[in-house]
Amino acid sequence: MFTKINRLVVLLVILTGSTSMLIAEHVILIHGLARTASSMGRIESRLLEESYNVVNIDYPSREFEIPQLARYVRQKIEENTQDSKRIHIVTHSMGGIIVRQIQNTEPIHNLGRVVMLSPPNQGSEIVDKLSHLSLFKKINGPAGTQLGTNKNSFVRGLGPVNFDLGIITGCRTVNPILSLMIPGKDDGKVSTNSAQVAGMRDYLVVPSSHTFIMQNSHAIEEVIYFLEHSRFRK
């Protein structure tokens, strides 16, 4: 949604015919492991309704380890935001880990606000228990095995975040068998505790599963609210 300042800028552009006064902001969407950009389609549509410039990135999540995926996504962001003054990001699942890796290695210097949906910030016990299986590796690729919870896992080594971050995670599951592997409340893939990370600004749990949180109306409206206010409405 345009702020009052942005509406004033647009009015001045209309009156003066100058486009140099436009302040471009982009929202980047980054899907999760073994998903595609289409999985973020509902959020994309809602953000477009609010007049955001949206870039919904597709990347080969099952083909490489997280560092390589982060470089790929970082390049895609750069290619699509050449005119952007500020870049916001909304992620699902492993997409949040990719953002953390980017900011640790090749930071986006004009990064604005970030919202992560069901991120495995402290890893997932499902990876601990199933990553040795060939079927798990076939489905999730090399990045999937990096999402464990032990202290030497890739995600546990990323450290605190130093950007404006809101996290939304779920507390319902569509797979009770997987949930039995996870201690405490969970969304079927990640526990509510494991979604959190040191340095986050705000945190919210909604009645949704990991698989469908990107389509949850409450979560989507909270994403938009955080992008506007740097906090959740709740």
Side-chain angles (χ1 to χ4, degrees):
M1 182 180 297
F2 282 150
T3 64
K4 291 181 179 178
I5 293 176
N6 282 339
R7 291 192 186 96
L8 178 59
V9 169
V10 171
L11 178 60
L12 289 172
V13 168
I14 292 172
L15 293 175
T16 63
S18 172
T19 59
S20 63
M21 300 179 68
L22 284 174
I23 302 173
E25 295 191 5
H26 286 82
V27 179
I28 307 298
L29 304 181
I30 306 175
H31 63 79
L33 179 63
R35 306 298 291 268
T36 67
S38 63
S39 68
M40 304 293 280
R42 188 168 182 185
I43 297 176
E44 180 179 16
S45 296
R46 187 68 186 86
L47 288 167
L48 289 171
E49 289 176 1
E50 296 294 315
S51 300
Y52 282 106
N53 299 307
V54 184
V55 179
N56 191 356
I57 292 178
D58 216 348
Y59 67 99
S61 65
R62 301 167 56 196
E63 295 184 19
F64 304 101
E65 292 187 337
I66 293 169
Q68 292 96 318
L69 295 175
R71 289 194 290 271
Y72 180 97
V73 171
R74 179 68 175 81
Q75 180 62 33
K76 290 296 181 182
I77 292 173
E78 185 174 349
E79 289 173 1
N80 287 279
T81 59
Q82 292 293 323
D83 62 339
S84 188
K85 301 299 182 183
R86 190 160 67 149
I87 298 169
H88 308 292
I89 302 178
V90 180
T91 70
H92 174 235
S93 192
M94 191 180 72
I97 305 303
I98 287 175
V99 172
R100 291 176 65 192
Q101 172 68 7
I102 288 172
Q103 292 307 107
N104 280 355
T105 57
E106 192 180 359
I108 299 169
H109 296 294
N110 57 340
L111 183 65
R113 293 167 180 158
V114 178
V115 182
M116 296 180 182
L117 302 175
S118 292
N121 279 318
Q122 306 304 320
S124 171
E125 288 79 8
I126 292 173
V127 177
D128 298 339
K129 293 177 170 62
L130 301 181
S131 61
H132 67 284
L133 300 176
S134 58
L135 181 60
F136 180 94
K137 295 175 181 177
K138 183 176 182 180
I139 293 173
N140 297 291
T145 63
Q146 296 183 291
L147 302 175
T149 67
N150 73 74
K151 64 180 180 180
N152 296 318
S153 74
F154 183 88
V155 290
R156 296 294 292 275
L158 289 172
V161 300
N162 60 358
F163 48 86
D164 195 355
L165 172 64
I167 293 173
I168 305 174
T169 195
C171 60
R172 291 186 179 173
T173 181
V174 295
N175 194 324
I177 294 176
L178 291 182
S179 289
L180 290 174
M181 303 179 188
I182 305 171
K185 294 181 178 180
D186 67 90
D187 64 2
K189 296 288 182 66
V190 178
S191 73
T192 54
N193 287 333
S194 288
Q196 301 178 63
V197 65
M200 65 183 181
R201 182 178 293 274
D202 207 351
Y203 170 74
L204 176 66
V205 178
V206 299
S208 179
S209 69
H210 189 94
T211 304
F212 298 112
I213 194 168
M214 316 85 71
Q215 300 173 26
N216 183 280
S217 296
H218 182 193
I220 292 173
E221 295 309 310
E222 292 288 355
V223 165
I224 294 170
Y225 196 85
F226 189 92
L227 294 179
E228 293 275 328
H229 304 283
S230 194
R231 63 181 177 84
F232 296 124
R233 179 163 38 201
K234 302 178 183 179

